[in-house]
Amino acid sequence: MAPRVKLEKAAWLWVETVKPEDIKQEHIELAYRINIPACKRGICRRNCKGNPNCLVGIGEQVWLGEIDENTFHNIDDPNSERREKNIFVGLTNLGATCYVNTFLQVWFHNLELRRSLYQCQNSRAQEHNIDSDYEPQSICEHLQYLFALLQNSNRKYIDPSGLVKALGLDTGQQQDAQEFSNLFLSLLEETLSKEKNPNLQNLIQQQFCGQFFYVTICNQCGRSSTLPSRFYELELNIQGHKNLTECITEFLKEEKLDGENRYFCENCQSKQSATRRIRLHSLPPTLNLQLMRFVFDRQTGLKKKLNTFINFPEQLDMEPFLEQKLDRKSVYELSAVLIHRGISAYSGHYIAHVKDALTGDWYKFNDEEIEKMEGKKLQLGIEEDIAETGKTQSRKPKCSKGYHCSRNAYMLVYKVQEEESSDPSRTNVEVPSFLQKLVDQDNHKFEEWCMEMANMRKQSVDKGRAKHEEVKELYDLLPAKDGELYEFIPLDWLKKWLDDSTATKEIDSSIFLCSHGKLHPDNMGEIKRVSLQAAKLLYERYGGGPRLDGSSLCRDCVSERCRVLRLKKQLDEDYKEISNLVKRTPSGDGYWVGKASLRGWRQLALEQLEEDEHETKHSNGQTNGQGPHTIDKFGLEASGGAEDETKTFNEDIVCSHGALSILETERKLVSTEVWTKLREYFPKSPEFTHIQDPCRQCLTLEQEEKDNEAVSKMMALEQKNQLLNLFHEKNRPTLTKWPQGTDRLYIVPLFFVEEWRKFIRRPTKSSPVSNVGNSLLLCPHGGFMFTYESLINGEAQHIALLWPSEWEVITRLFIVDKPIAIHCVRQTTSESSMTQYTTQPDLCRECRQSFLFQQQRDLREYTQATVYVRKVIKDKITGKDGAPELNACSSEAEEEREELPKVDGEKDPDFSQAQDAAKRIKLNDSSAASVAASSVTNMIKPGGIRRSTRHRKLRGEKALIVSASQTLKELKIQIMHAFSVAPFDQNLSIDGRSLTDDSATLGSLGVIPECIICLKADEPVTDYAAMDDAYQVRMPEEGFKGTGLLGH
């Protein structure tokens, strides 16, 4: 099928030969494209929007032919959530809680621990009403319920969020697994110690606690001292070792104590060289061996993972390592291997391989996924041992029978080997009835959910089948045959009807109606012609309207479109003729036409024609392809700007008084022939003959404006000559060194002086200054807001000092609301000389105190303020001689910048702009608005040189946005990203005062807006990506502070 544009053009080709009054029914049907052949499936790839008879590619493909019933729903099979036979239950990973899940599975498979926990008193569970959800409170209650679900739940995996929430763990932050294990067992030990059952009080010690002695022998006298110590796990160094035996041997090896580590001998009563070693005394039934894979790297200051292969046995004989032979066996069997997958100490994933104590089968526990190993052997698999890539990858060493090797195992759990017992109570752990009742309640909920999901799947399938039959029935009826009755259905509705994912609404054809209440011909691309029989069935089932049939074809719209198209064709011819005529210079009479109107008259004519048929068609306003600053067909320069746009022809040369504009450059004289043709399209446009005089009122106003500019120039020149030094900032008085020859200086707001200078520089562009505005420097009571000391210590940026002679000129030229002066009184005696400074009016102490209080408060409570961090190397600022950057502009360049118009919103990215509010001090009855004392440098310096209020940025210095409430640690993280210096390598100071307390807020440390913080960096870390990861992850690993593991 031809493209949509071609079909639209073809529908109106007949207008070239047919006048609007000669239109017949056949022309109307051509305009509505009634007789265009319908497209066939397989030939037309996508729907032809220009053909109302094309019903291909509207979504019917998915319904025709055989359909898989699974496409009727998006609901997974609920049985996929059901626990498989002879497979354990998994645990949901709540974000980054895989380390919690691995330990929970290991502890669950400790039968003695599980059996004992089931015996804990739990009155809440025993008295629970099954009509409500059970909510455990204590750690024992959570573990009881969790273990019972892991044992007898019908679910494939369960949610441990209750326990995690009770512990107060951050589910989005991966913590140190070993630390979690130690803290949790300590918490559980403390909780069980409060149980009434004495068999439970020492459960953790009985299961996990062993004992060794620190034996120290004095080299001088030979005295031996023994210090007993309990352990819950043995922390074994793996660096430089290949197997578990070597690691245990090193743990027990003799250590020399000499030098600063000498031992204080009680017998010798002095520090002596000695030897120390650890002697194992007793071992627990469950022996936890912690392989120290995560170690601290002194060179980088970060933790790193050791990817060393360690060989370990399935059976471990601990008798050679014991001080003396135990009464019971010392042979242990491997029961669990905890794996950390990943090459970094700060990321990765935790899984566990656990041996079923009942069957001897090995299982891999990976959060929700549980996998049974083939046979009865531990298979660590390939993926657990992916630790290195590329050239550094080392081969996995071969393992002897009964041994395993891993570079990712970080904890080994061994159970003491016991003789096989015929007593089933030792191997079978039954869930108590009060807990089984809760498990049954959860299983019942799960079965109800499965049934609900199955019903939803069935309903969706039944609905899909019905829809399938409906589509197959109706789609064959949709095409309208030649000569038969038909109706129109919106294309968008048909697509939604065939899209099963959306609910089918009633048919709405109202948006396709023209102003005459019939089908608009322009909407034929959005509507489809269907058979009367199909339309009748669709309306019966879905309702809606209005119904559009063959009688809805609008003759009025077709006639109007015919008229417009014919006029448009004539318009093109007139446009070409006028384009040629306007290039000629008119001889004799002529008419004034606006240049903008002349450039856009064709578009205006088109818009007027289209308005006649109630259409709104927009143009980009660039006729004939003209762009910015091009010469159009009329020989006029077109700027392409908004000023060329005009809504009514020739109104662009009409002034505000309704007469001819005085701007001759905006109009062009055209011949009478050109104006006559233009008048045909714009009969109501303003008409100005060549003898028409411009507007007299506009000419008068123009002359007045020129006269005013001359007066402003004379005024500026006069004021400049009388206050020449003030304008050029020469010979300015200063407070730091009181000038000789006067005891009085006058004060005016700096804002007044700056506005006056702008007027002097550009008198025709700036308004003259009439009022000094000294009230800005006074409080509501009329008192002065500054002292002599405050002015010489930084607050002089708000004022300008004047000589008495200059003040006299000021009083003559400007309105002075309130004079402000500062007096220098010198009292000289034979013994001493004293100088006092007073102001007139006097200082208002009440408002001054309020001002200082508010100022200090703002310095402590700021938000989104700028501070500057300056990197220092060997007590020198980075950059040559600490010179300012080239973009730190001088005062002269700054003055030049003030002359140029600024784009709205323009900002200098390298500097912090001084706020306009800093130029004025606004006071109210309660307090004075304050400006940070260190935000800008003094405007007046000794020697009378005006300085920029901008902070002069140096090389090696960067601006940071901070708040008073953020901590120093958070600031260090910002500095780390800006300078690539690790927080622990940063030494920060302000004015020689070190900033060391990472937990303190910036406000409490005296960090104020616009201050300069010096940064001295220690040896840098080369791997900045690792450093960034380290600090983000390492901060929370400083401990489980704030969690239930530490009792909050």
Side-chain angles (χ1 to χ4, degrees):
M1 182 59 63
R4 178 178 180 177
V5 176
K6 289 186 178 181
L7 290 175
E8 290 178 353
K9 288 184 177 181
W12 298 95
L13 288 176
W14 53 269
V15 301
E16 297 180 4
T17 57
V18 179
K19 296 180 180 179
E21 57 269 20
D22 298 333
I23 291 177
K24 299 180 181 179
Q25 182 64 26
E26 59 181 291
H27 301 126
I28 297 175
E29 291 184 354
L30 283 172
Y32 281 91
R33 312 167 211 172
I34 299 298
N35 298 317
I36 296 178
C39 300
K40 296 182 179 180
R41 294 187 68 242
I43 299 177
C44 189
R45 295 184 179 181
R46 56 185 179 183
N47 187 256
C48 304
K49 295 189 70 175
N51 182 1
N53 299 317
C54 178
L55 296 171
V56 177
I58 58 176
E60 79 286 354
Q61 302 93 329
V62 299
W63 298 101
L64 303 179
E66 297 300 323
I67 300 179
D68 183 1
E69 292 184 352
N70 289 325
T71 61
F72 293 141
H73 63 81
N74 57 357
I75 303 172
D76 294 332
D77 184 1
N79 289 317
S80 64
E81 302 291 310
R82 189 180 298 278
R83 178 181 183 178
E84 298 180 23
K85 188 177 181 180
N86 297 326
I87 292 294
F88 288 101
V89 177
L91 290 167
T92 304
N93 190 334
L94 305 177
T97 57
C98 53
Y99 69 99
V100 178
N101 293 346
T102 54
F103 280 105
L104 289 175
Q105 293 286 11
V106 170
W107 293 329
F108 168 77
H109 283 80
N110 188 314
L111 300 184
E112 188 59 37
L113 176 62
R114 195 198 319 171
R115 183 185 296 108
S116 300
L117 281 173
Y118 285 160
Q119 297 173 12
C120 290
Q121 184 67 25
N122 190 344
S123 57
R124 184 177 288 100
Q126 293 173 346
E127 300 170 2
H128 174 66
N129 185 353
I130 61 173
D131 295 333
S132 60
D133 292 334
Y134 172 61
E135 296 181 358
Q137 299 297 323
S138 68
I139 297 301
C140 283
E141 291 176 2
H142 276 287
L143 273 183
Q144 277 185 331
Y145 186 46
L146 195 66
F147 282 4
L149 289 173
L150 286 174
Q151 186 166 340
N152 289 339
S153 176
N154 291 345
R155 300 178 187 267
K156 183 179 180 180
Y157 50 84
I158 59 175
D159 185 356
S161 57
L163 174 63
V164 172
K165 185 177 180 180
L167 294 175
L169 300 178
D170 182 358
T171 58
Q173 183 62 62
Q174 191 175 90
Q175 298 279 21
D176 185 281
Q178 180 190 6
E179 186 179 4
F180 167 75
S181 172
N182 293 336
L183 291 175
F184 187 86
L185 288 179
S186 297
L187 179 63
L188 186 59
E189 182 179 11
E190 179 184 356
T191 305
L192 291 173
S193 65
K194 301 174 184 177
E195 287 287 326
K196 296 180 180 179
N197 188 341
N199 295 328
L200 301 177
Q201 293 175 355
N202 297 318
L203 173 63
I204 301 302
Q205 293 94 321
Q206 294 170 358
Q207 276 297 307
F208 303 103
C209 186
Q211 188 179 43
F212 57 67
F213 293 110
Y214 287 105
V215 180
T216 307
I217 301 175
C218 177
N219 291 348
Q220 182 67 27
C221 67
R223 180 180 179 272
S224 175
S225 63
T226 303
L227 179 65
S229 179
R230 295 192 307 176
F231 69 88
Y232 291 84
E233 61 182 23
L234 296 181
E235 298 182 354
L236 306 180
N237 175 35
I238 64 172
Q239 198 161 13
H241 300 302
K242 297 180 180 179
N243 55 58
L244 187 61
T245 301
E246 293 180 4
C247 298
I248 299 175
T249 302
E250 189 202 12
F251 179 77
L252 301 174
K253 77 176 181 179
E254 189 177 84
E255 176 188 6
K256 292 183 179 181
L257 303 178
D258 51 17
E260 294 182 358
N261 291 330
R262 286 184 300 168
Y263 160 74
F264 184 83
C265 179
E266 294 287 343
N267 189 35
C268 299
Q269 286 298 304
S270 62
K271 283 190 174 182
Q272 299 291 340
S273 296
T275 58
R276 174 179 292 170
R277 60 171 300 181
I278 295 176
R279 292 182 179 175
L280 289 177
H281 178 70
S282 63
L283 298 173
T286 302
L287 180 61
N288 293 327
L289 301 180
Q290 187 75 35
L291 306 182
M292 305 301 289
R293 288 207 174 271
F294 307 112
V295 297
F296 184 78
D297 189 341
R298 294 184 179 275
Q299 292 183 345
T300 63
L302 306 174
K303 282 203 305 184
K304 68 176 183 180
K305 180 182 178 183
L306 299 178
N307 295 308
T308 307
F309 279 108
I310 292 296
N311 192 296
F312 52 91
E314 291 183 359
Q315 284 193 353
L316 176 64
D317 187 1
M318 291 296 292
E319 185 174 348
F321 305 109
L322 290 169
E323 178 185 9
Q324 57 187 13
K325 190 174 182 179
L326 302 179
D327 296 337
R328 57 183 176 82
K329 280 187 176 183
S330 301
V331 178
Y332 285 79
E333 289 185 348
L334 185 65
S335 65
V337 180
L338 279 71
I339 298 288
H340 172 267
R341 294 197 302 204
I343 62 174
S344 171
Y346 300 106
S347 61
H349 183 58
Y350 291 91
I351 62 173
H353 293 264
V354 184
K355 183 180 182 181
D356 182 10
L358 298 179
T359 63
D361 294 328
W362 280 91
Y363 292 83
K364 181 171 73 172
F365 292 85
N366 185 6
D367 293 330
E368 297 91 346
E369 301 297 326
I370 312 297
E371 179 184 353
K372 181 181 178 183
M373 301 292 102
E374 295 182 3
K376 292 184 179 294
K377 293 183 179 181
L378 170 63
Q379 299 173 19
L380 293 180
I382 299 175
E383 74 280 2
E384 284 87 347
D385 287 322
I386 298 177
E388 296 176 350
T389 58
K391 298 180 180 179
T392 60
Q393 186 168 7
S394 55
R395 292 184 178 180
K396 182 177 180 180
K398 294 182 179 180
C399 296
S400 304
K401 186 177 181 180
Y403 284 82
H404 299 279
C405 192
S406 173
R407 62 158 36 121
N408 285 328
Y410 71 95
M411 186 171 179
L412 306 175
V413 180
Y414 284 90
K415 293 280 292 183
V416 69
Q417 194 177 60
E418 298 178 349
E419 295 181 0
E420 294 186 4
S421 174
S422 59
D423 185 6
S425 63
R426 296 194 61 184
T427 55
N428 293 332
V429 180
E430 296 294 334
V431 177
S433 59
F434 71 93
L435 288 175
Q436 186 59 44
K437 180 179 64 174
L438 299 176
V439 175
D440 293 341
Q441 180 184 2
D442 183 75
N443 286 338
H444 179 68
K445 286 183 179 180
F446 174 70
E447 297 300 333
E448 287 183 340
W449 175 83
C450 289
M451 188 175 298
E452 181 182 356
M453 291 297 104
N455 289 336
M456 290 177 63
R457 280 167 59 98
K458 183 177 183 303
Q459 291 174 8
S460 297
V461 170
D462 293 343
K463 181 181 176 182
R465 287 174 178 170
K467 186 65 172 284
H468 187 203
E469 296 299 323
E470 178 187 72
V471 171
K472 286 198 298 184
E473 172 193 358
L474 287 178
Y475 186 76
D476 292 337
L477 297 176
L478 282 181
K481 298 180 180 179
D482 294 339
E484 295 184 357
L485 297 177
Y486 58 85
E487 289 194 26
F488 295 98
I489 300 293
L491 172 61
D492 186 58
W493 187 90
L494 287 172
K495 288 182 176 180
K496 291 181 178 179
W497 171 61
L498 293 169
D499 182 4
D500 191 47
S501 63
T502 58
T504 305
K505 299 180 180 179
E506 64 177 20
I507 303 171
D508 182 12
S509 303
S510 60
I511 60 175
F512 303 106
L513 301 182
C514 66
S515 59
H516 312 106
K518 296 188 176 184
L519 177 61
H520 199 296
D522 284 350
N523 292 325
M524 293 310 296
E526 306 298 332
I527 208 160
K528 294 298 177 182
R529 192 171 74 100
V530 302
S531 66
L532 178 64
Q533 182 182 3
K536 184 178 179 180
L537 290 173
L538 289 174
Y539 275 107
E540 285 178 354
R541 296 181 185 182
Y542 298 102
R547 297 179 67 167
L548 303 175
D549 55 17
S551 63
S552 301
L553 308 184
C554 184
R555 174 180 288 272
D556 293 336
C557 285
V558 174
S559 298
E560 186 66 20
R561 173 59 62 82
C562 177
R563 183 183 71 85
V564 169
L565 291 176
R566 290 174 66 87
L567 282 175
K568 284 182 179 179
K569 185 176 181 181
Q570 182 65 34
L571 177 64
D572 290 338
E573 295 177 1
D574 288 344
Y575 178 75
K576 293 177 182 178
E577 184 176 357
I578 291 176
S579 299
N580 293 325
L581 290 174
V582 81
K583 294 177 182 178
R584 306 172 188 172
T585 303
S587 58
D589 298 341
Y591 292 85
W592 289 112
V593 178
K595 290 183 179 179
S597 293
L598 200 55
R599 280 192 290 267
W601 78 268
R602 182 173 180 270
Q603 182 62 31
L604 288 172
L606 282 173
E607 290 176 358
Q608 187 165 323
L609 289 172
E610 290 169 355
E611 285 176 4
D612 292 342
E613 59 172 344
H614 307 287
E615 292 183 15
T616 55
K617 293 191 175 183
H618 303 283
S619 173
N620 59 10
Q622 292 187 351
T623 307
N624 301 322
Q626 51 197 1
H629 299 288
T630 60
I631 304 301
D632 65 8
K633 287 192 175 184
F634 302 110
L636 304 175
E637 183 178 348
S639 63
E643 65 272 9
D644 287 340
E645 296 181 2
T646 178
K647 294 299 181 183
T648 304
F649 184 78
N650 226 26
E651 279 199 355
D652 51 324
I653 60 172
V654 179
C655 72
S656 58
H657 310 107
L660 180 62
S661 171
I662 63 175
L663 300 175
E664 294 186 10
T665 58
E666 300 294 328
R667 61 180 190 260
K668 181 178 178 63
L669 192 65
V670 300
S671 65
T672 303
E673 183 180 2
V674 171
W675 177 251
T676 302
K677 288 187 175 293
L678 291 173
R679 193 73 170 172
E680 292 178 1
Y681 291 95
F682 310 106
K684 298 180 181 180
S685 62
E687 182 177 281
F688 301 104
T689 63
H690 71 288
I691 60 174
Q692 182 81 38
D693 293 329
C695 177
R696 294 188 176 276
Q697 290 178 268
C698 289
L699 290 172
T700 302
L701 291 173
E702 183 183 34
Q703 186 60 43
E704 290 177 356
E705 184 177 352
K706 292 180 179 178
D707 294 342
N708 290 335
E709 289 181 357
V711 172
S712 295
K713 289 180 180 179
M714 291 178 60
M715 182 188 300
L717 182 60
E718 181 183 356
Q719 292 181 4
K720 177 182 178 181
N721 290 335
Q722 295 186 55
L723 297 169
L724 196 59
N725 285 343
L726 180 61
F727 177 74
H728 289 296
E729 296 187 81
K730 294 182 179 179
N731 191 24
R732 306 312 310 146
T734 63
L735 296 178
T736 53
K737 185 178 181 181
W738 191 272
Q740 298 293 328
T742 183
D743 61 350
R744 175 180 300 185
L745 295 175
Y746 287 88
I747 294 175
V748 294
L750 182 63
F751 178 73
F752 158 73
V753 177
E754 289 178 338
E755 292 298 312
W756 173 75
R757 287 193 182 116
K758 289 180 182 178
F759 168 68
I760 299 301
R761 294 189 190 98
R762 306 184 70 184
T764 61
K765 302 296 183 181
S766 303
S767 301
V769 180
S770 60
N771 198 319
V772 173
N774 269 353
S775 59
L776 295 174
L777 303 177
L778 304 178
C779 73
H781 313 112
F784 194 48
M785 283 300 298
F786 305 98
T787 65
Y788 171 79
E789 290 76 13
S790 69
L791 290 175
I792 65 174
N793 288 326
E795 292 183 355
Q797 72 265 21
H798 309 303
I799 67 163
L801 294 174
L802 302 179
W803 297 100
S805 59
E806 292 174 333
W807 176 253
E808 292 180 7
V809 177
I810 292 290
T811 56
R812 291 199 312 269
L813 297 178
F814 306 99
I815 299 173
V816 179
D817 49 356
K818 186 76 173 177
I820 302 175
I822 185 166
H823 301 266
C824 175
V825 181
R826 294 185 176 90
Q827 297 178 357
T828 305
T829 63
S830 59
E831 298 180 355
S832 63
S833 177
M834 183 173 62
T835 304
Q836 289 185 342
Y837 299 94
T838 60
T839 61
Q840 183 183 359
D842 294 334
L843 175 72
C844 181
R845 298 189 180 280
E846 178 184 354
C847 291
R848 175 67 183 175
Q849 290 297 324
S850 178
F851 173 79
L852 293 176
F853 174 78
Q854 184 66 28
Q855 188 181 58
Q856 292 299 319
R857 180 179 177 182
D858 290 346
L859 292 179
R860 294 191 305 269
E861 300 179 3
Y862 57 86
T863 57
Q864 298 297 307
T866 301
V867 298
Y868 298 94
V869 180
R870 186 173 296 172
K871 193 173 182 181
V872 177
I873 300 176
K874 295 182 180 179
D875 297 328
K876 290 185 179 181
I877 300 172
T878 55
K880 186 176 181 180
D881 298 326
E885 290 186 356
L886 294 177
N887 55 6
C889 31
S890 65
S891 59
E892 295 171 10
E894 190 175 340
E895 295 292 345
E896 294 263 24
R897 189 177 289 106
E898 290 177 357
E899 304 294 332
L900 300 175
K902 296 242 181 178
V903 180
D904 291 341
E906 180 179 338
K907 294 183 178 179
D908 186 342
D910 290 329
F911 295 96
S912 174
Q913 297 281 3
Q915 300 295 322
D916 291 340
K919 296 179 179 178
R920 293 171 174 256
I921 300 177
K922 298 181 181 179
L923 307 173
N924 54 37
D925 293 336
S926 59
S927 64
S930 64
V931 181
S934 61
S935 63
V936 289
T937 57
N938 290 351
M939 292 293 294
I940 307 297
K941 294 288 184 181
I945 300 176
R946 181 180 184 273
R947 299 297 183 188
S948 169
T949 58
R950 297 173 184 261
H951 172 82
R952 284 178 169 253
K953 189 180 176 189
L954 303 180
R955 293 187 181 91
E957 178 178 296
K958 295 186 180 181
L960 301 179
I961 303 299
V962 298
S963 300
S965 59
Q966 75 180 69
T967 62
L968 182 62
K969 178 181 288 184
E970 293 169 335
L971 174 63
K972 286 185 175 182
I973 295 176
Q974 288 181 263
I975 295 174
M976 177 181 70
H977 291 292
F979 289 92
S980 298
V981 177
F984 37 79
D985 288 331
Q986 297 175 18
N987 300 297
L988 305 180
S989 63
I990 298 178
D991 297 330
R993 176 172 52 87
S994 297
L995 307 178
T996 56
D997 188 354
D998 284 352
S999 61
T1001 62
L1002 300 187
S1004 64
L1005 292 173
V1007 178
I1008 61 176
E1010 305 291 329
C1011 71
I1012 298 173
I1013 301 174
C1014 290
L1015 165 65
K1016 290 183 181 180
D1018 294 336
E1019 288 295 324
V1021 178
T1022 56
D1023 188 1
Y1024 297 123
M1027 174 190 65
D1028 181 68
D1029 183 31
Y1031 203 72
Q1032 290 182 8
V1033 182
R1034 182 167 163 259
M1035 285 166 50
E1037 286 193 353
E1038 291 175 355
F1040 286 82
K1041 184 179 179 181
T1043 69
L1045 294 171
L1046 294 176
H1048 297 280

